[in-house]
Amino acid sequence: KMEQNGTKENGRSEETPAPGPPQPVHVQDIRFTKIFIDNKWVQSSRGRTFATFNPATGCKLCEVEEADESVEAAAGRRGSAWQRMDACSRGKLLHRLADLVERDRLLLATVETLDTGKPFLQSLFIDLDGSIKTLRYYAGWSDKIHGKSLRVDESFMSITKHEPVGVCGAIIPWNFPLLMFMWKIAPALSCGNTVVVKPAEQTPLTALHMGSLIKEAGFPAGVVNIVPGFGPTAGAAIANHMDIDKVAFTGSTETGQLIQTAAAKSNLKRVTLELGGKNPCIVFADCDLQLAVEDTQTGAFYNQGQCCTAASRVFVEESIHDQFVRLSIENAKKIVVGDPLDPLTSHGPQIDQQQFDKIMDLIESGKKEGARLEYGGTPVSNKSLFIQPTIFSGVKDHMRIAKEEIFGPVQCIFSFQSQEEAIRRANSSRYGLVSAIFTSSMDRALSVSAALETGTVWINCYNSLHAQTPFGGYKMSGIGRELGEYALAEYTEVKAVTLKLKEAV
């Protein structure tokens, strides 16, 4: 039997039994389920909670306090002690937070797997490693953010200062809850801002655990606030709030449009949007074929295809097309679908029934519109959220599976004859997030990369994301950049100060 005990002071639910078989992490280890404001755990002002579930089993993990008016209490921290703190001290606290994440990495990875359904080893070695590296990268930037001195003429000199934007709202998605939490808070805190975070309602648990580590690390009260809840309430409150100066959002293009509208109608707050993708991979006949097969398929199926970077459209040169399809089918048969907590598993469930139904509808549309189903395309069982990795060939550009973001484990393979054709078709999308090129010719790789309308181009690799490298999209894939030095510009205001100089004697 699993039980959950705790006190109001530490944010644990009083008593929330969870059904189902025992898990490797007991439910009492999921301790933080309340709203985190001013380094305190508080209850919903309306006394409301919502359940979060394990998508692999359908079992309820716990009840979480639902934020509504809590956003009001979490905002309005301009001119805070955090902003005035010595920059080096801010960096030390970010390093201390990274130390605590390393200490709790096994627990955090397990909770992340229970809440999202992603395979445990991916949570441990991808999400946790990326989270820690992001914190440490921006900890190093804290005391290196500076402006310039500009000699205008003999009478005037100007200097520029990079000042914190103020209060930053962060609305994070369910597919990478912990990693996106870090992508948002690390650059914001490094620059001296305070943050209000709304985790996705499907996956709030690792964000709330981070609240406990932020407090333990010694961050001043009010620097990071975490308000679990729903998009139309807590998320909309952040986008519309007059005391929030910037909002950073990762999620669907449709929701991003709503957030940008709300930001414009409220106080013209800054907006960073990391949105959808329908990402092209171009596989030329001179490539390392096995590498191309493995990397494009990892790109298509990683995290059950629930990635904005998913390798959605694979354009293969006609002369190697049939061989590429055959090898892709052989590779897909090696994928282990099963319990995400089993170290042998490489493919887990979709996040919820709504996402499952959307993916299955798009798979059916591919069949009806004439694409050739080469592998998969069916649920693993009648009572689960697991979908077999699915491969279509003979996909045409007009089909729904070629145009819509599936956000599921579906690989679409196209054929092309010329380089010019491949570039034209790759760019014929409203999205422009990432792309990839597989070729042995660096001249070709560089010329094609220059022609592709995406924020990231990978050459002979896929999903190669690093804290040092900026990430963001063209067109309807977003606004602004995350990660790297470029993200600092999204969290600072540039102030010009001009001085009148005395004439030299």
Side-chain angles (χ1 to χ4, degrees):
K1 180 180 179 181
M2 297 184 292
E3 297 177 348
Q4 182 174 15
N5 301 307
T7 64
K8 293 181 180 178
E9 287 73 22
N10 64 14
R12 305 179 190 180
S13 298
E14 293 289 347
E15 190 174 295
T16 309
Q23 302 283 4
V25 166
H26 300 293
V27 173
Q28 63 261 28
D29 291 326
I30 301 174
R31 299 178 294 167
F32 303 100
T33 61
K34 294 185 178 171
I35 300 161
F36 185 71
I37 297 176
D38 284 340
N39 282 6
K40 298 176 183 176
W41 298 102
V42 300
Q43 292 178 303
S44 167
S45 58
R46 296 187 181 179
R48 295 191 298 207
T49 63
F50 63 94
T52 182
F53 296 88
N54 180 343
T57 64
C59 295
K60 184 171 78 171
L61 295 170
C62 60
E63 292 280 337
V64 174
E65 296 285 333
E66 180 185 343
D68 32 60
E69 284 86 354
S70 305
V71 173
E72 185 72 32
R77 298 286 189 276
R78 281 193 204 88
S80 66
W82 180 251
Q83 181 177 335
R84 299 190 302 271
M85 181 184 289
D86 170 64
C88 184
S89 298
R90 289 202 298 265
K92 286 180 179 178
L93 282 173
L94 285 168
H95 274 303
R96 172 61 178 152
L97 183 59
D99 292 340
L100 295 176
V101 173
E102 288 204 71
R103 183 198 69 190
D104 286 3
R105 66 183 299 158
L106 186 61
L107 172 62
L108 283 164
T110 309
V111 172
E112 191 82 331
T113 290
L114 290 176
D115 218 11
T116 66
K118 66 176 60 183
F120 170 75
L121 292 182
Q122 292 178 13
S123 295
L124 184 64
F125 292 113
I126 304 298
D127 297 55
L128 265 294
D129 272 8
S131 296
I132 293 163
K133 287 176 180 177
T134 301
L135 281 172
R136 296 210 184 279
Y137 176 78
Y138 284 107
W141 266 111
S142 294
D143 58 357
K144 300 171 185 68
I145 299 168
H146 56 79
K148 299 178 180 179
S149 62
L150 311 167
R151 187 64 181 262
V152 179
D153 55 31
E154 294 302 316
S155 301
F156 296 95
M157 184 182 78
S158 296
I159 60 172
T160 59
K161 299 171 63 180
H162 291 222
E163 298 183 345
V165 170
V167 183
C168 298
I171 304 173
I172 57 179
W174 47 258
N175 56 342
F176 292 93
L178 184 62
L179 189 59
M180 294 300 102
F181 183 94
M182 301 307 183
W183 280 27
K184 302 292 187 285
I185 73 161
L189 298 181
S190 177
C191 294
N193 300 284
T194 58
V195 188
V196 182
V197 182
K198 191 206 87 68
E201 58 268 25
Q202 297 93 336
T203 56
L205 297 180
T206 47
L208 290 171
H209 189 93
M210 286 303 305
S212 73
L213 300 188
I214 285 163
K215 183 175 180 179
E216 183 181 348
F219 282 74
V223 173
V224 179
N225 306 277
I226 305 167
V227 289
F230 295 86
T233 51
I238 288 174
N240 286 286
H241 205 292
M242 296 298 292
D243 289 326
I244 291 180
D245 306 289
K246 182 247 168 64
V247 61
F249 169 75
T250 297
S252 72
T253 295
E254 293 73 21
T255 303
Q257 290 173 311
L258 294 174
I259 288 172
Q260 187 170 18
T261 299
K265 289 183 177 179
S266 55
N267 59 347
L268 277 176
K269 58 175 60 67
R270 276 198 192 189
V271 175
T272 301
L273 301 174
E274 199 271 279
L275 307 175
K278 196 66 182 170
N279 310 296
C281 303
I282 303 178
V283 181
F284 290 97
D286 66 347
C287 72
D288 179 331
L289 186 58
Q290 190 62 42
L291 172 70
V293 166
E294 292 175 0
D295 278 15
T296 57
Q297 197 159 89
T298 299
F301 297 150
Y302 183 75
N303 199 32
Q304 297 70 251
Q306 298 172 145
C307 302
C308 58
T309 61
S312 308
R313 298 180 293 149
V314 183
F315 295 93
V316 182
E317 195 162 2
E318 193 172 57
S319 62
I320 61 167
H321 174 269
D322 292 349
Q323 187 181 4
F324 183 93
V325 172
R326 178 178 58 79
L327 291 174
S328 295
I329 296 168
E330 292 175 6
N331 206 61
K333 289 178 179 178
K334 301 174 186 176
I335 295 171
V336 179
V337 181
D339 178 5
L341 289 165
D342 186 335
L344 296 177
T345 295
S346 56
H347 192 91
Q350 309 310 132
I351 188 66
D352 58 23
Q353 191 66 49
Q354 180 180 2
Q355 188 65 22
F356 177 94
D357 292 342
K358 174 192 171 187
I359 296 163
M360 292 307 302
D361 177 63
L362 282 162
I363 289 173
E364 288 304 310
S365 79
K367 297 177 187 177
K368 291 177 182 177
E369 292 182 335
R372 188 179 307 112
L373 180 62
E374 300 281 2
Y375 183 78
T378 60
V380 173
S381 76
N382 293 330
K383 296 182 179 179
S384 78
L385 298 176
F386 291 82
I387 297 175
Q388 272 191 308
T390 299
I391 301 173
F392 281 104
S393 68
V395 182
K396 305 302 180 184
D397 294 347
H398 69 272
M399 296 178 180
R400 285 183 63 198
I401 58 173
K403 296 191 295 184
E404 297 180 27
E405 185 177 32
I406 301 173
F407 228 65
V410 181
Q411 182 181 26
C412 298
I413 302 175
F414 306 69
S415 176
F416 74 90
Q417 292 182 333
S418 70
Q419 178 174 307
E420 293 73 19
E421 175 199 348
I423 292 170
R424 174 178 53 78
R425 293 171 66 191
N427 287 338
S428 63
S429 171
R430 63 175 183 154
Y431 297 110
L433 188 58
V434 303
S435 58
I437 303 161
F438 291 88
T439 178
S440 61
S441 167
M442 281 301 103
D443 286 344
R444 168 183 280 159
L446 292 174
S447 64
V448 173
S449 68
L452 291 174
E453 297 168 354
T454 61
T456 292
V457 181
W458 289 308
I459 298 174
N460 294 327
C461 60
Y462 206 86
N463 272 343
S464 300
L465 296 166
H466 306 93
Q468 301 90 338
T469 307
F471 181 76
Y474 287 19
K475 299 187 278 191
M476 294 188 77
S477 285
I479 298 171
R481 292 294 180 268
E482 298 192 290
L483 299 180
E485 182 180 357
Y486 290 84
L488 300 173
E490 309 290 347
Y491 291 95
T492 55
E493 294 282 8
V494 178
K495 178 180 286 183
V497 179
T498 300
L499 300 81
K500 178 71 179 291
L501 303 176
K502 292 184 178 180
E503 294 184 12
V505 178

